[in-house]
Each structure stands twice: as C-alpha cells, then as structure tokens.
Amino acid sequence: MRAITDTVDRSSELFTTNVEAYERDLDVLAERMQFAITGGRGRSRSIQRHHDRGKVLPRDRVDMVIDEGSPFVELSTLAGWGQADDEFPGAGIVTGIGLVHGVPWMFIANDATVKGGSLFPAGIKKHVRAQDIAMENGLGCIYLVDSGGAFLPMQDEVFPDRDHFGGTFHRQARMSAAGLPQLSVVLGGCTAGGAYVPALSDENIMVEGIGRIFLGGPPIVKAALGEVIDPDELGGAALHTRESGVSDHMVGTEAEAYGLLRELCANTNQRRIDAPAGWLDVIEPEPPAHPAEEILGIINADTRIPFDVRQIIARLVDGSRFSEFKPEWGTSIVVGTTRIWGHLVGVIANNGIIFSEDALKATHFIELCNQRAIPLVFLQNTTGYMVGRDSEIGGIAKNGAKMVSAVANCRVPKFTVLIGGSFGAGNYGMCGRGFDPRFLFAWPNSRIATMAADTAETVLTDIRLGGMKGADTTEEEIAEIRRSIRGQYEEQSDPYYATSRLWDDGLISPLDTRDVLGLCLALAARGPGPDAGDRLVYRM
C-alpha cells in the first residue's frame, strides 16, 4: 500500500485555530464525563452510605476483576445526559468491555448510589445495548448486581415493551443457550425483576451481609402477608446458598467475590483476544506515520469549511498507508483498503455531499469487501445525498438506494465513527445506527439530524409560512419562527443529545479512535467469519 501524501500545513493560522477550538471541545467532554462518573456527588450522602456499608463503587468493582494494567473500554458513559434533571448520571449503570485472563468480557454493573441502582429508561436501553454487543461479538457477560429493580415512577417506560427490562432476561437466556457464559455477583438488593439476573446466570456469587435476592422484598411481604421479616432471613446469601440453592457460591467480602469470579472465568473455555484470528487477515501492527494529535488541527472549527478525509485516515491507520479504490472518480467519497492495528479493513469516508457516482463507487467497494470478507470502517462526515434536478436526472434516488441496500445486506463486521456531520439519508448509506454496525462511536464535534440547522431553518420556515398564507405575519414573528426552528435543530443535533439517547456507543476523542477501533476489530477476529453463502456479490 502507498503512503497517503501529507498536505497538512501545521504552521497555518487555520490549523492553530482549529486545535484551540477542538481542545476546548475535549475539555467539555472531559468535564461531562467526570460528572457522569461522579454525578457531582463526590461527597454526597449516597456515596458515603455506600462506603459505610463496606461496598465498592461500580468502576472500582470492574477494576478489581479485570487483568491488572489492562484497559476497560466503557460504553455509553454519557447515557441519560441532560435527561430527568441529570438525576441519573451515566443512566445509573456502567457497561463496557474488559479482559479477564486475556479473554474479553462484557461488564454490566449497577450503580447503587444513583437512585439505589434503580433502572431508568436510558439505563435499560444501555443494558440492552451491552447485551446486544456481547451477543454479536461472542462475549460472555459479567453482571455486578446492586439494583433496586425498575424505577417504579416510570414503570411504563421500563417494564412492558420489547426492549424493556424483560428483554434483558430474554437476551441473557439466549446467550447462555448459545454458550456465552453468564456470571453474576450479587452485591446488594436484587428485588422483583432484578432477582432474575442472578437466577438466570450460569453461576452466581453472593456476598454475605450485603447481597440479597427476593421476588418480593420485606415491604411487599408485609403488605401481602402481614409478615415482618429481616432482609437476610428473607433472601440473604446464607439462605440462598445453603437452603434454597438459588446461589452457587457465598463469600464474606467483595474482594473474595472478585477472586472467585476470576477463577470461574478461567474455567469457561472462552477464546482469548490474542488468539489467532482465523478468518481475518492480521499482521504485525505499526503506528501511523503522522501523530493523531494533528487531527485536532485538520477538523475545522467552522463546520462549513471542508477538510480532506484522507488526512484523517493517515493519522488512524498503520504506516499511514492506504490503497485507494477508484481515486479519480466519485471524489466526494474516499474508499480503499488499509490496516488498523494490523487488521485488514476497508474504509469508506466522506469528503462532503454524496453524488450519484460516489454512491455507485461506494456500492461497488462494499460488495468487494463483502466478497473478500474484509471488515468495513465508515467515517461519516456528510450533509447527505445531492439534491436538485441534475441529480434527479442522474438517478440519485436509485443510486443512493443501491448504496443503502449494499450496506444493509453486507455480512462482514461494520464499524462506524461520526467524525463530522451525519445528515439525512447519508446517515443510512454510511452505516448509521439503523444499519446495525457492530459499534458506532462519535467525536465531540459531530452532528446528527435529518438536516443541518441552517437548512432546517430555511425549509421549515418556508413550509410554516406557506401554511399561513393570508395571515398578517410580522417580521418579528417570522424571526421568532426561524429562531425556534434553528434552536430545536441545534439542540437535537448536538452530540451530547445523541449520546444521551444511545444513538451511539459513546463519545470518544479522535486521539483514542485508532485504539478503540483496534479493540473492536480484535473482537470481530475472535468470532466466526461471514459465511461464504452470505458473501455473494450483486453488481449494481
């Protein structure tokens, strides 16, 4: 593969301005991540009570389980951001991927300092998403259970629907049946539906004195039967380990629980992350020829100023080498093969609006990668497919549909990063959330909506005024309509609005993107490759 030509002017005023602006974006991201982790509750009574009970916070629990010095890739840290008056930081649950004896596991840990670990709607969505990632990537699940169950004031948003709390039990049972281990440690109350998480696990551990399992807690028992009973007598570790058999193991402390959990993990016969890849071509990795920090100067602070996505690719891929496909045709989409952490991948990246020829080029390349079993990485930065009479004559609707269809029917693993705009059907053609990429991450400069705020302001104002024909509309009223529409689209296209609702798997820094993609590719390499029957090429 040939190296990408470096065209970045590091001494320019624009580069310096861009770096300063993006560093401010990263400061905001760090500040909001810190709030999600601490909830502004560093000295709160809930955390103090948690510690007074001899209990450990959820991220510290994960650290006590995973291999020393190994990374933990946390997912959807900002889920719930800006919702419910920020009373559910991180949506009250921690999810992510960590290594135990070199094997990747999905961790799902309740945060009992957030409303007693109750499950808020965004927390359920986060739990479900973590299980879906585990199923698709062949990961066992470790549940660190310390939950009050469903958040009853919002029961209609967490209980009855397909992907509500019951959906987590369905997934847990299906994963167990598929041979993906389901292990749990009971570290607090597991009441009502929460009792089924350890009960559905292949093996569970209860910590004496703090772990409890019951379908109906003491208040429900008193209301239903008039019986007053101590929580440990009703569902404590000794009862469930020695009498009911609901629990498989009992330990005296959390530290003992995590030592035993690591022992159980070692006996599940799961494939290590560094095992030979099998179907996926992997060689010794090498770093990019150019530092990732320069991405901050390449991304323009003014989103109306384009940038060459090849310069982004050059700072993410091995040796900054890239074998570009059809480089002279359809130049608003850049496609080609390269390597990320030694893994062979196909990259599809935007250089702006998608024209008919871009859609056809991307379709052709997607089909080739599907045929050759090469995973795809999508780097989204587009306002969508081109509009106008010339484009319609050129068949943009059909050619865009061919690209969308190719993405939908592609069977190789797909990974998406929003590095800029993600607007209109361009989001779909570039493998947005609706097209089931294995992972989708976003940069803090990204935006996602049906259209950009500028466009929405013009289009929707014209539509609104068209419906008001004959009415006496003042300039002030028209200006207020414009402000209202722009405000709505600016708020709803904000990356924090998106990540709060789990439209992505987390906001990440451009500086971490190569490593995050490397882990995702390593997970894909562990599993079976796409079936040959799914790799037929349909030339369009």
Side-chain angles (χ1 to χ4, degrees):
M1 299 181 190
R2 287 173 291 182
I4 295 173
T5 302
D6 182 19
T7 60
V8 175
D9 182 2
R10 298 161 188 78
S11 63
S12 70
E13 182 179 350
L14 179 61
F15 185 90
T16 302
T17 301
N18 289 340
V19 169
E20 292 171 351
Y22 214 114
E23 285 178 341
R24 288 194 293 272
D25 286 345
L26 293 180
D27 287 342
V28 171
L29 177 61
E31 178 183 324
R32 294 183 177 183
M33 286 283 198
Q34 185 63 24
F35 178 86
I37 292 169
T38 66
R41 299 168 291 110
R43 297 180 181 174
S44 72
R45 285 180 294 176
S46 60
I47 288 182
Q48 189 58 51
R49 284 197 304 268
H50 194 78
H51 286 311
D52 289 345
R53 292 168 182 155
K55 298 169 73 172
V56 180
L57 293 174
R59 291 173 180 83
D60 296 329
R61 287 170 168 167
V62 172
D63 285 343
M64 293 170 72
V65 179
I66 62 176
D67 296 343
E68 186 175 356
S70 68
F72 176 63
V73 179
E74 187 171 335
L75 303 169
S76 307
T77 307
L78 290 167
W81 171 265
Q83 300 183 54
D85 296 324
D86 279 320
E87 291 185 2
F88 290 85
I93 191 170
V94 176
T95 65
I97 300 166
L99 300 180
V100 183
H101 299 301
V103 173
W105 290 79
M106 176 62 73
F107 285 78
I108 300 175
N110 304 109
D111 187 347
T113 69
V114 179
K115 300 290 185 182
S118 298
L119 292 161
F120 169 66
I124 293 287
K125 193 171 184 179
K126 185 170 174 178
H127 187 131
V128 166
R129 175 59 185 156
Q131 289 179 309
D132 285 345
I133 289 172
M135 282 192 284
E136 188 165 30
N137 291 279
L139 306 179
C141 290
I142 291 172
Y143 304 89
L144 304 180
V145 191
D146 194 352
S147 170
F151 185 59
L152 295 180
M154 305 180 78
Q155 67 86 27
D156 62 320
E157 297 182 60
V158 299
F159 173 69
D161 207 352
R162 179 180 182 274
D163 287 333
H164 284 175
F165 199 19
T168 69
F169 305 151
H170 178 261
R171 286 164 172 81
Q172 193 172 344
R174 294 291 299 274
M175 281 191 283
S176 178
L180 300 177
Q182 306 293 296
L183 307 177
S184 63
V185 183
V186 180
L187 301 153
C190 297
T191 306
Y196 287 103
V197 175
L200 282 165
S201 295
D202 303 323
E203 288 187 83
N204 66 57
I205 303 166
M206 292 187 72
V207 180
E208 191 173 16
I210 60 173
R212 300 178 182 114
I213 299 173
F214 22 61
L215 291 185
I220 294 177
V221 171
K222 181 179 179 182
L225 305 174
E227 180 182 350
V228 177
I229 188 168
D230 177 80
D232 277 326
E233 292 180 7
L234 180 63
L239 179 143
H240 281 312
T241 309
R242 294 170 181 161
E243 297 183 54
S244 75
V246 169
S247 174
D248 304 303
H249 308 276
M250 180 176 68
V251 295
T253 65
E254 284 203 45
E256 290 179 68
Y258 303 135
L260 177 56
L261 177 61
R262 285 182 57 83
E263 182 181 321
L264 299 183
C265 289
N267 297 324
T268 55
N269 194 28
Q270 300 300 295
R271 190 176 183 186
R272 289 174 56 91
I273 199 166
D274 55 4
W279 70 277
L280 185 56
D281 181 21
V282 184
I283 64 173
E284 189 69 23
E286 60 177 310
H290 309 292
E293 288 78 8
E294 292 179 350
I295 293 174
L296 309 188
I298 296 168
I299 301 287
N300 289 302
D302 185 343
T303 57
R304 295 169 296 183
I305 302 176
F307 57 86
D308 184 0
V309 75
R310 292 176 185 84
Q311 299 307 313
I312 303 295
I313 296 170
R315 286 149 180 86
L316 297 177
V317 304
D318 291 14
S320 300
R321 288 190 293 275
F322 185 59
S323 179
E324 191 167 345
F325 178 71
K326 286 184 179 290
E328 306 298 327
W329 190 68
T331 54
S332 284
I333 273 189
V334 175
V335 301
T337 49
T338 185
R339 292 185 184 271
I340 297 176
W341 276 101
H343 297 88
L344 183 66
V345 297
V347 172
I348 300 175
N350 299 120
N351 252 349
I353 298 172
I354 305 173
F355 294 86
S356 272
E357 57 268 32
D358 301 300
L360 291 173
K361 179 169 85 169
T363 299
H364 187 175
F365 184 70
I366 290 166
E367 292 169 342
L368 289 176
C369 288
N370 197 45
Q371 182 193 49
R372 297 167 182 173
I374 299 173
L376 286 167
V377 173
F378 293 82
L379 303 178
Q380 284 200 20
N381 180 32
T382 182
T383 53
Y385 291 94
M386 188 60 187
V387 298
R389 188 171 187 275
D390 289 345
S391 292
E392 300 298 348
I393 291 172
I396 186 63
K398 188 63 175 178
N399 294 331
K402 291 174 181 178
M403 180 177 171
V404 167
S405 180
V407 175
N409 288 293
C410 189
R411 292 295 178 264
V412 297
K414 303 183 290 285
F415 310 93
T416 303
V417 184
L418 275 56
I419 66 170
S422 177
F423 296 110
N427 171 272
Y428 302 155
M430 290 295 294
C431 199
R433 184 63 116 190
F435 283 72
D436 281 338
R438 290 210 179 187
F439 291 90
L440 189 154
F441 296 100
W443 288 357
N445 62 292
S446 65
R447 295 291 184 272
I448 180 171
T450 53
M451 60 186 74
D454 287 342
T455 307
E457 179 185 340
T458 301
V459 171
L460 295 181
T461 299
D462 289 347
I463 292 173
R464 186 86 60 87
L465 293 176
M468 298 167 64
K469 286 181 178 177
D472 293 328
T473 309
T474 66
E475 290 299 320
E476 289 77 11
E477 290 172 329
I478 293 173
E480 178 55 34
I481 290 171
R482 291 186 180 278
R483 280 194 297 271
S484 174
I485 292 169
R486 172 177 281 277
Q488 175 193 354
Y489 268 75
E490 286 181 344
E491 175 190 359
Q492 294 178 355
S493 64
D494 185 86
Y496 293 95
Y497 188 94
T499 200
S500 173
R501 289 155 179 80
L502 281 93
W503 298 350
D504 55 54
D505 294 315
L507 292 182
I508 61 173
S509 165
L511 312 186
D512 297 327
T513 304
R514 171 178 162 82
D515 289 343
V516 170
L517 286 173
L519 173 67
C520 294
L521 288 162
L523 293 175
R526 293 172 64 251
D531 184 77
D534 291 330
R535 300 206 302 263
L536 298 176
V537 175
Y538 300 94
R539 291 297 300 275
M540 296 185 178

